[in-house]
Amino acid sequence: MPILYTTKSTATGGGRSGRASTADGVLDVTLTVPKELGGDGATGTNPEQLFATGYSACFLGALHYVAGKEKVKLSGDTTITATVGIGPRDDGTGFGIEVSLVASLPGIERDVAEKLVAAAHIVCPYSHAMRTSTEVEVTLA
């Protein structure tokens, strides 16, 4: 596929505790381990929060895209809430995530909203990656 945009982010420190920042410096965050995963509750964010934020924003963009194609005007109050959970995999070899999305489309009839959300789930690259177990290339620097 032709790539239209590429970005980079680098994590340093302890992985779940440390820093992460994008190459352009626009995003620069302190990473902390949540108490539920053994952390001390320090102020910061974590990979699950970042993934939930990215997924909800991407899905909302996909929803606006499909609504525009269908000539449906979405309210400025339209929201997507992503919930991301992490836990040990059943095979005992690592961790997995579970993801759910809740779409709120005020002022749109339920049947129309359901069709738009289903279409957005096809269009959204995050949904596609989750659905197809996208391969990730891992190399050494």
Side-chain angles (χ1 to χ4, degrees), residues 12 17 30 39 63 67-68 94 113 123:
T12 58
S17 60
T30 299
L63 184 61
V123 169

Side-chain angles (χ1 to χ4, degrees), residues 8-102:
K8 292 183 182 183
S9 183
T10 302
T12 58
R16 289 184 163 273
S17 60
R19 297 203 67 72
S21 60
T22 54
D24 63 7
V26 171
L27 179 67
D28 187 348
V29 295
T30 299
L31 300 170
T32 59
V33 179
K35 281 187 176 184
E36 297 86 348
L37 296 177
D40 62 7
T43 300
T45 191
N46 59 65
E48 292 71 38
Q49 289 175 328
L50 294 169
F51 186 74
T53 299
Y55 200 165
S56 62
C58 187
F59 197 93
L60 183 58
L63 184 61
H64 276 278
Y65 174 81
V66 298
K69 289 188 87 160
E70 295 296 321
K71 309 283 191 258
V72 175
K73 175 88 167 108
L74 296 178
S75 161
D77 294 331
T78 299
T79 61
I80 302 297
T81 301
T83 301
V84 175
I86 184 173
R89 292 194 310 254
D90 291 338
D91 64 10
T93 62
F95 295 87
I97 61 170
E98 67 176 27
V99 181
S100 65
L101 301 173
V102 175

